[in-house]
Amino acid sequence: MSNSKHTFKYQPNLLSSLIVWSWTLLVLMVGIIWWLEILTFKWPLVLIAVLFIALVAVQISLRRVSIDRNLLIFSTVFNRSWLVIPRDQLESITAIRGGVAVQVDRNRYQFLMTKKSRQALIELAQLDK
């Protein structure tokens, strides 16, 4: 494998994504309900909108999987104990509907990814194995 680092974006499995994005949309709904209650412009409403946009940007940009030399690194948004998998401990990485399934030490992790990213990740992870 080359020494270059490859990075792809992902989302957690379907149920976790639904929960996290529901909490994010809750911030938007609070702002909309508050705005409909008062029907005038208030600066706190702008702050709620900025907070919502920031939460969306953070959730999209900070969830990455990186392949760096011999490691697969799944980064998360708030938890800094990232999932780091040495490629020699990787039991399997398979394509599933809408993402990939990674099996390490009899633990199975599922991640949602685009089809192009999923295929590239599988090819790079299995390279030189």
Side-chain angles (χ1 to χ4, degrees), residues 70-128:
N70 216 15
L71 297 174
L72 268 73
I73 304 165
F74 289 88
S75 62
T76 58
V77 176
F78 296 114
N79 186 0
R80 289 298 172 194
S81 61
W82 294 347
L83 177 61
V84 178
I85 304 169
R87 284 188 30 226
D88 56 350
Q89 292 181 2
L90 182 66
E91 292 175 12
S92 71
I93 182 167
T94 56
I96 58 171
R97 185 174 181 215
V100 294
V102 177
Q103 187 158 352
V104 179
D105 297 329
R106 293 181 287 197
N107 293 326
R108 183 178 167 102
Y109 303 97
Q110 293 182 356
F111 304 100
L112 301 176
M113 300 178 84
T114 62
K115 195 173 199 178
K116 186 177 178 182
S117 296
R118 172 181 58 201
Q119 195 59 34
L121 175 67
I122 291 171
E123 288 174 6
L124 287 170
Q126 292 176 344
L127 195 62
D128 296 334

Side-chain angles (χ1 to χ4, degrees), residues 7-76:
T7 303
F8 307 99
K9 293 190 184 303
Y10 79 92
Q11 289 294 312
N13 63 21
L14 184 60
L15 293 177
S16 296
S17 289
L18 283 173
I19 292 168
V20 170
W21 285 103
S22 294
W23 281 106
T24 304
L25 286 175
L26 186 66
V27 172
L28 178 65
M29 292 297 132
V30 166
I32 290 173
I33 290 169
W34 190 16
W35 173 69
L36 288 173
E37 285 291 325
I38 60 173
L39 287 176
T40 58
F41 178 78
K42 300 280 184 182
W43 283 107
L45 296 174
V46 174
L47 295 177
I48 290 174
V50 169
L51 176 66
F52 171 73
I53 292 169
L55 284 172
V56 168
V58 163
Q59 288 188 45
I60 291 173
S61 66
L62 291 183
R63 287 193 178 107
R64 297 180 310 270
V65 57
S66 302
I67 298 179
D68 191 10
R69 293 189 190 96
N70 216 15
L71 297 174
L72 268 73
I73 304 165
F74 289 88
S75 62
T76 58

